[in-house]
Amino acid sequence: MFVHECESTLRQRFAAAGVEVTVSTQPPLVDGPYTVDGMTCPHGIAYWWEPTGEQIAQWVRDGVR
């Protein structure tokens, strides 16, 4: 079985920038203000990511727009 780390790599890269995200191989059911187009990793798997609810709440507390 082939295993790769693309999902965790995406989370780690966002975390390094101070952003907590959810990563999924399924597109969001509803587009929100933080929805972006998915990206396909070198292994051919499409990923979508959005900030977690906790991250959005922190941005609200911090006054980030």
Side-chain angles (χ1 to χ4, degrees):
M1 181 174 139
F2 177 73
V3 177
H4 61 88
E5 301 295 325
C6 295
E7 183 175 345
S8 62
T9 298
L10 284 168
R11 277 196 191 96
Q12 290 168 1
R13 288 188 177 178
F14 276 101
V19 179
E20 183 181 330
V21 296
T22 59
V23 178
S24 176
T25 56
Q26 298 296 315
L29 294 175
V30 177
D31 286 347
Y34 301 103
T35 303
V36 296
D37 292 337
M39 66 142 262
T40 302
C41 77
H43 304 102
I45 299 172
Y47 290 99
W48 287 262
W49 56 84
E50 293 186 318
T52 63
E54 292 83 3
Q55 179 67 70
I56 295 168
Q58 184 64 50
W59 287 337
V60 169
R61 285 191 296 273
D62 293 346
V64 175
R65 293 188 178 253

